[in-house]
Amino acid sequence: MENTCSVEPKAFINERQGSIIASGKSRANIHCADDSLAGSVSQRACVYCGARVVLNPVTDAVHLVHGPIGCATYTWDIRGSLSSGSEMYRKSFSTDMKERDVIFGGERKLAVCIDEIVMKYHPPAIFVYSTCVAGMIGDDIVAVCKLASEKHGTEVIPVESTGFSSGNKIVGYRAAADALLRLITPKDGVDVKKTKKLNFLGEYNLGGEKWLIEGYLQEMGVGINVAFTGDSSVAALKQAPGASLNLVQCTGSMHWLAMRLEEEFGIPSMSVNFFGAENTAESLRRIARFYDDEEIIRRTEILIEREMGRILPGIRWYKEKLVGKRAAIYVGGAFKAVAIIRQLRELGMEIVLTGTQTGKPEEYENLSNLLDEGTIIIDDANPAEIEKFLIEQKVDVMAGGVKERVLATKLGVGFVDHNHDRKECLAGFDGAINFAREVYITTCTPVWGHIRSPFNMEAADGSHDE
Amino acid sequence: MEVMTSDHQVRSVNEDQCQMCMPLGGVIAFKGIEETMVLIHGSQGCSTYMRLSNVEHYHEPVDIASTALNEKQTIHGGEANLRKALDNVIRVYNPSVIGILTTCLTETMGEDLDLMISAYKHDRNLQGVDIIPVPTPSYSASHTEGFWSATRRIIEHYARATAETSGINIIIPHISPADIREIKRIIDLFGIEYTLIPDYSMTMDRPFGGNYQKIPPGGTVPADIARMPGAQATIQFGLTCPEQLSPGEFLRRKYNVPLFSLPLPIGLKNTDRFISVLSELSGRPVPEVLLLERGWLLDGMADAHKYNAEGRPLIYGEPELVYALCTLCAENGATPLVVASGTKTGNLETLLSPILPDACEKTIFLEGTDFAAIDQAVEDQRVNVAVGHSGGRFLTERRGIPVLRIGFPIHDRIGGQRIRSAGYAGTLSFLDRFTNALLEMKYGSYRQHCLEETRGKGGY
Ligand code: SF4
Ligand code: SF4
């Protein structure tokens, strides 16, 4: 593969140099566990955000943010997770800390807020999230939650997601996993019946993805016990210990929880990946093999053959249009990056840049092996870097989140949404074709023909403002 | 503070927020100053969220840096991070101005920013970069106050006693870039020189083309801000702006610049007031083209008055915009029945009461409120159309009430930055949208409605 970047990729800020490598060439490890660097415009969010993203899809729980108002405003109805039942999770509750609470402590107000919520809604559970300010003034949310639980006889679960302990969302995933464990661990005397069904970890039902996969599994003869956490309810989550297998989809957010579920309840886990047709087929086969049942295996093969036959002509059509186009990927975690790389390759595209907000060293190693020599890999990128590489690498399309979208379109580069608030179903066989279509409509839109003007050609030569 | 609901109950928990946080307003003000970069002093998450909100609304890459404090630094003080952040921002963005906004976290820590900044400037022997800190703790106010505070602080920073100029000052609240451009067009028609602040009409709404620049071109020029004290007058669209945050009040008190405190020129009467002040200040008659636009507006108002009378609006959002939209609706016979803001100004009701006709129904005013309270009021008042930002989308989902998108944030529709409602022409485009929303409802249901209401009721 030819690569326009002959020298080592350069960062604008020297301390960021270690966070950018070229695959294959540099054996040096990428720096990725660092906190975001002060003054660079990081795309990372906060611990609270990470926790919220994982727990938010629990549909009938109340999500109460203990902090000043903004932390709640910004996360109101943030995800595209769909519900077949309660819509409670789409509301945004805040203790709306004021100066008085900051000075004298916010515990009293938190307790009052919980009382009000219970009175009005009687929810089966309330998740209470701690934010930076709540953490800083030392509010003891664990104690307040415990008291409230006893007082109201309902689950009031603290989520220790004080944002500043690290800018890294992974810490928040962990806080969410802790909260989930608290919720699902059976109370004394409660017995959860074992079933043949499986739990699906790291599935958030964006664009109805959980429902789609559930359909496949049903056809195979396997049932989903509960998903963590897409379209789940508090009661269903409490049945989680009864599963006989845990599927783990997004390792970043759910690996640790799967480990704990194995330790506590003896449920084995299996990594799956439903992004892309090949990945989907492979994952379904592995699930079928786990059950070791002729009938399930037979049905699985029928399903795969039928679905593949249905979507392949479409994929081939898109591939013809997309072959040789240059793609960049910048997403939250390495799991997603790997899945997208594979899918874009299935469409005949070249990957010239890959980055994540929260990758771990092993994951970057893995990415580096997967990619062609010279492909740029970048951790916790800032807009200036993304802009520079999009231009230098003559990228045709980028896959990423909302913040990257406007930058890409400003530069006349196509864009595929792959974030938490997307509305499209991108998983499974249907998702594979939806994904191909998404890539096609943005890469090959007639609009780029009108706006790839001489100015941008200049910019592509590196004469753009720095 | 607690949320006040329409039945005067007081509630502690805030349920579905109707306001953004204070530094966010400051960010927008700074984005209206030429060659400026913004730095949020606090933890990373706050600034990422503020970027996201701006990006979703403006569809522009809105770069906001953060000092990215972690736990250790919040205990030992954020100075080292602040210095490093300033170094990096200067290196990557090469700005002429850096606006620093604090967050709840750094305000709670009680950082002395002024001291840190002067030490930094001294140590680095910094030339050619102005650093302007603004305290913006969200636990004491909303994005609206953040916007006013930052605007005032910027003026305080640059303003110098200067010789009298022939120009005027225009100070705007948080409105769309399209409205800023419309206001500028109108002033230009009178041939008056002016300094408009903060002018983010280009920086937050860039046309495609040209080299991509990290700091978009445009914005109010600091040298012009420095001369604001010499202006003939200040026009400030800030009836609801608290006096201690009012930029126009500052210029009046300190430099004796006469202040015209006007409502936003949205609606017929409000635009008339703006135009007559411009005419008075310039000594010129109203230009022909504006008279034409006024004529078209009046014609449109006459055509649509019976449809508009069926409107039972809820109007919510930032106070200044809410005030202007309420007068617009009222002058068209659609009396606002619920008026709401997440911001607490304390004077919306006093300001609006005189212009609301003595209808048999009383308007409910909610300030410092949330959408749970608004929703209740909407039900009580049988509201049938809502005017405001995307926060009200649930009204459509749950109650089938159309929401006319205007204000900030608009993240579930495209083009929030291009919505033009100012001036006679802008007012007419808003009014047409309003009327058409009512008509769409009417045509969608009137056959069924008539059938249910009339059949079998004629007594034969
Ligand atoms: S801590 Fe304060 S500034 Fe940060 S998001 Fe929350 S409310 Fe806004
Ligand atoms: S204050 Fe902390 S928890 Fe709240 S948004 Fe900012 S970083 Fe996140």
Side-chain angles (χ1 to χ4, degrees), chain A residues 431-453:
Chain A
I433 201 102
N434 290 347
F435 180 79
R437 192 185 119 78
E438 284 254 310
V439 177
Y440 165 73
I441 55 176
T442 185
T443 309
C444 304
T445 171
V447 173
W448 302 145
H450 309 305
I451 71 178
R452 285 225 165 93
S453 62

Side-chain angles (χ1 to χ4, degrees), chain A residues 69-123:
Chain A
I69 195 115
C71 314
T73 309
Y74 294 127
T75 45
W76 177 15
D77 200 20
I78 40 166
R79 294 200 65 159
S81 302
L82 304 182
S83 167
S84 58
S86 175
E87 292 275 303
M88 182 58 82
Y89 71 115
R90 295 183 57 207
K91 292 177 76 63
S92 175
F93 295 87
S94 167
T95 56
D96 189 10
M97 279 183 141
K98 297 294 185 190
E99 197 151 4
R100 187 183 57 200
D101 309 309
V102 169
I103 297 168
F104 301 111
E107 292 173 14
R108 207 189 63 85
K109 190 170 190 191
L110 172 59
V112 173
C113 287
I114 296 172
D115 292 348
E116 289 177 2
I117 291 169
V118 172
M119 289 256 284
K120 184 167 174 190
Y121 292 109
H122 311 290

Side-chain angles (χ1 to χ4, degrees), chain B residues 175-299:
Chain B
I175 52 177
S176 77
D179 279 341
I180 301 180
R181 290 197 289 267
E182 180 65 7
I183 288 169
K184 287 163 76 171
R185 182 185 71 98
I186 291 171
I187 307 171
D188 284 336
L189 288 170
F190 283 91
I192 313 177
E193 283 189 25
Y194 61 91
T195 299
L196 183 146
I197 183 170
D199 185 359
Y200 48 91
S201 63
M202 291 304 283
T203 54
M204 296 295 261
D205 187 16
R206 300 183 232 179
F208 194 91
N211 285 344
Y212 176 77
Q213 278 165 277
K214 283 187 191 63
I215 298 182
T220 315
V221 181
D224 294 341
I225 305 173
R227 280 193 297 272
M228 288 177 85
Q232 295 299 311
T234 299
I235 296 178
Q236 176 170 276
F237 304 118
L239 297 189
T240 60
C241 178
E243 204 173 303
Q244 71 282 12
L245 302 181
S246 163
E249 208 36 66
F250 164 76
L251 288 167
R252 189 182 69 84
R253 291 244 175 103
K254 181 145 187 205
Y255 299 103
N256 291 317
V257 186
L259 173 63
F260 292 85
S261 183
L262 299 182
L264 272 169
I266 293 176
L268 177 77
K269 282 191 217 143
N270 292 343
T271 308
D272 282 350
R273 282 178 72 179
F274 178 45
I275 301 283
S276 58
V277 169
L278 288 178
S279 178
E280 184 190 320
L281 289 172
S282 65
R284 293 199 196 182
V286 179
E288 187 74 15
V289 59
L290 288 178
L291 292 174
L292 269 175
E293 287 170 10
R294 188 172 192 277
W296 281 313
L297 171 58
L298 280 173
D299 197 46

Side-chain angles (χ1 to χ4, degrees), chain B residues 221-440:
Chain B
V221 181
D224 294 341
I225 305 173
R227 280 193 297 272
M228 288 177 85
Q232 295 299 311
T234 299
I235 296 178
Q236 176 170 276
F237 304 118
L239 297 189
T240 60
C241 178
E243 204 173 303
Q244 71 282 12
L245 302 181
S246 163
E249 208 36 66
F250 164 76
L251 288 167
R252 189 182 69 84
R253 291 244 175 103
K254 181 145 187 205
Y255 299 103
N256 291 317
V257 186
L259 173 63
F260 292 85
S261 183
L262 299 182
L264 272 169
I266 293 176
L268 177 77
K269 282 191 217 143
N270 292 343
T271 308
D272 282 350
R273 282 178 72 179
F274 178 45
I275 301 283
S276 58
V277 169
L278 288 178
S279 178
E280 184 190 320
L281 289 172
S282 65
R284 293 199 196 182
V286 179
E288 187 74 15
V289 59
L290 288 178
L291 292 174
L292 269 175
E293 287 170 10
R294 188 172 192 277
W296 281 313
L297 171 58
L298 280 173
D299 197 46
M301 289 168 70
D303 290 343
H305 74 281
K306 288 178 77 177
Y307 307 126
N308 290 332
E310 290 180 22
R312 302 176 61 82
L314 148 72
I315 297 172
Y316 63 91
E318 293 193 68
E320 211 47 42
L321 195 58
V322 164
Y323 174 86
L325 292 168
C326 282
T327 59
L328 190 167
C329 285
E331 72 193 7
N332 282 284
T335 310
L337 294 174
V338 181
V339 176
S341 180
T343 304
K344 219 180 182 111
T345 59
N347 66 359
L348 264 180
E349 181 163 5
T350 325
L351 285 169
L352 277 168
S353 292
I355 61 147
L356 297 177
D358 315 300
C360 34
E361 295 173 88
K362 239 181 105 43
T363 302
I364 292 180
F365 288 90
L366 297 168
E367 288 201 19
T369 196
D370 62 8
F371 275 103
I374 292 175
D375 193 61
Q376 187 55 52
V378 159
E379 181 171 334
D380 296 345
Q381 298 280 71
R382 289 180 298 114
V383 160
N384 65 357
V385 60
V387 177
H389 52 77
S390 291
R393 64 194 179 282
F394 287 86
L395 295 166
T396 312
E397 270 185 45
R398 293 188 194 136
R399 299 182 179 276
I401 297 171
V403 177
L404 251 73
R405 302 289 191 285
I406 188 168
F408 181 97
I410 298 175
H411 50 66
D412 57 350
R413 295 288 187 279
I414 202 150
Q417 75 276 43
R418 291 185 290 269
I419 296 176
R420 189 185 56 160
S421 320
Y424 299 120
T427 298
L428 184 53
S429 36
F430 174 84
L431 190 64
D432 283 345
R433 286 209 291 149
F434 183 83
T435 313
N436 285 331
L438 293 170
L439 284 175
E440 200 172 322

Side-chain angles (χ1 to χ4, degrees), chain A residues 9-29:
Chain A
K10 269 249 167 309
F12 286 104
I13 304 174
N14 285 337
E15 287 166 64
R16 292 259 325 129
Q17 188 64 59
S19 298
I20 303 171
I21 60 168
S23 130
K25 281 186 185 148
S26 161
R27 285 289 97 193
N29 279 334

Side-chain angles (χ1 to χ4, degrees), chain B residues 75-124:
Chain B
I75 295 166
H76 301 297
E79 183 162 13
N81 270 51
L82 182 75
R83 294 171 74 103
K84 205 187 240 175
L86 285 168
D87 283 347
N88 284 332
V89 164
I90 291 168
R91 198 165 343 150
V92 176
Y93 289 88
N94 191 22
S96 308
V97 183
I98 300 175
I100 304 183
L101 299 157
T102 61
T103 57
C104 307
L105 185 68
T106 42
E107 287 294 328
T108 307
M109 290 159 66
E111 300 263 87
D112 187 344
L113 272 188
D114 289 324
L115 201 72
M116 293 179 191
I117 291 166
S118 58
Y120 176 82
K121 281 181 15 197
H122 177 263
D123 295 348
R124 292 282 188 280

Side-chain angles (χ1 to χ4, degrees), chain A residues 46 48 71 131-132 163, chain B residues 43 45-46 49:
Chain A
C46 60
Y48 155 63
C71 314
T131 59
C132 297
Chain B
S43 24
C46 310
Y49 281 135

